Amino acid sequence: MGRLALNKSTLNKEGRKVKAYQKFVPALDLKRKQLLAARVMTQQQLREHDQTLIEVETRVKGQLSMLSNYQGRADELVRVKHIELVEVNLVGIRLPELGSLELVINPYSCLGTEHWLDKLAAQLQQVVEIKTRRQILNKRLELLNQGLQKTTQRLNLFDKVLIPKAQTNIRKIRIALADAERAGVVRAKIAKSKRQALTS
């Protein structure tokens, strides 16, 4: 980087920089706050889904204790037939959101299987839906964290590096200009006193 020119045009340029940088800071701070709020909400939703999963698991254990003796593959009872994701724009960050989800219960013989399999299939549908939503929320949280990190870095760059540097440059230039002005006044006085000494 070149040496700082200690003149009025550089002083004006640095002043314009500070004003421009200070315009960015409130917008970046607002963006950071919005991302923080969205992250808190996403984390809350994840906690709620975790709690629901625990409740479903407890309910299945309580109501379907015979599941441990089941010979079939319970995890193959329910599958995702169709999932549609939509993107939501939050302060320039594209976040995934569940548009629609269609689950189907794989066919099984009603006569050749246990009577409680219907109840299990319904519970499994709920589990699959919650786990799908959790995956989307985790991706959303990851994107929010990345966006928050970038925004915080930019905010810190303006707030803690660029603005203070420009303000320091302004102080240096003002001091140099004031020193030059004082030196000019002193030289003028010396020249005046020399002229008076020569004329007298």
Side-chain angles (χ1 to χ4, degrees), residues 14 16 36 67 81-82 92 113 124 152 155-156 178 180:
E14 292 295 314
R16 284 194 301 272
L36 276 170
L67 182 61
K81 183 178 180 184
H82 173 76
T113 55
L124 282 174
T152 304
L155 183 61
N156 287 339

Side-chain angles (χ1 to χ4, degrees), residues 128-186:
V128 170
E129 182 178 344
I130 292 168
K131 286 187 175 180
T132 305
R133 288 182 185 278
R134 279 190 88 262
Q135 283 180 334
I136 295 165
L137 286 171
N138 278 321
K139 182 62 180 171
R140 191 180 175 99
L141 189 60
E142 181 187 320
L143 292 169
L144 284 169
N145 283 331
Q146 288 172 3
L148 190 58
Q149 184 182 5
K150 280 184 186 175
T151 305
T152 304
Q153 285 171 345
R154 285 185 187 146
L155 183 61
N156 287 339
L157 176 67
F158 283 110
D159 207 28
K160 295 186 169 75
V161 178
L162 296 176
I163 292 173
K165 185 178 179 186
Q167 288 172 335
T168 302
N169 289 344
I170 288 170
R171 276 194 296 279
K172 281 181 188 174
I173 295 168
R174 282 187 178 151
I175 289 168
L177 290 175
D179 288 349
E181 193 177 321
R182 272 193 295 281
V185 169
V186 169

